[in-house]
Amino acid sequence: MRTLITLMLLAVLVMAATCYVSVCSEQPLAFSDPFINRRRAHDFIQADTRLEAISQERIRERNKAPQERQREICEDYYPCELYAFRHGYAAAYRHYFGRRRTK
């Protein structure tokens, strides 16, 4: 008789533990509804920021400031670069490339 009561009590505890209804279990499962609303659609799909950064870098390379272009031109010409170390890139560019020599 004792064993029967102990087994009944154990069965009730196991059933209570496995049949407990929580708030999470009342919500529908993800696979039961394949469609999600539009607001939640952007939560798990995010844009690839790496590709966006690469495209922005390419745009910045095309649209350089005039001073940056002048500095790069001056760096490619060794005498201009030496002059720039002493007087600055703006003065070096004006000295070597600023005035056009036409004859």
Side-chain angles (χ1 to χ4, degrees), residues 24-53:
C24 295
S25 65
E26 291 177 359
Q27 295 175 353
L29 297 174
F31 59 84
S32 66
D33 186 20
F35 302 105
I36 59 175
N37 66 23
R38 292 180 183 184
R39 291 182 184 167
R40 295 209 47 224
H42 296 291
D43 289 347
F44 65 93
I45 296 177
Q46 296 176 357
D48 192 2
T49 56
R50 185 174 44 92
L51 291 177
E52 185 178 329

Side-chain angles (χ1 to χ4, degrees), residues 36-85:
I36 59 175
N37 66 23
R38 292 180 183 184
R39 291 182 184 167
R40 295 209 47 224
H42 296 291
D43 289 347
F44 65 93
I45 296 177
Q46 296 176 357
D48 192 2
T49 56
R50 185 174 44 92
L51 291 177
E52 185 178 329
I54 290 172
S55 66
Q56 289 296 323
E57 180 65 28
R58 296 295 176 245
I59 290 170
R60 279 192 295 273
E61 283 180 3
R62 274 186 267 150
N63 301 330
K64 289 184 180 175
Q67 294 86 4
E68 181 67 25
R69 278 192 241 121
Q70 290 174 1
R71 182 181 178 127
E72 287 179 356
I73 291 170
C74 191
E75 284 175 347
D76 290 339
Y77 187 55
Y78 187 69
C80 182
E81 188 176 16
L82 289 177
Y83 193 88
F85 286 141

Side-chain angles (χ1 to χ4, degrees), residues 84-103:
F85 286 141
R86 203 170 237 184
H87 303 284
Y89 280 100
Y93 183 82
R94 275 194 311 273
H95 179 73
Y96 284 99
F97 303 104
R99 55 184 181 272
R100 297 283 176 185
R101 295 185 179 116
T102 55
K103 290 188 177 185

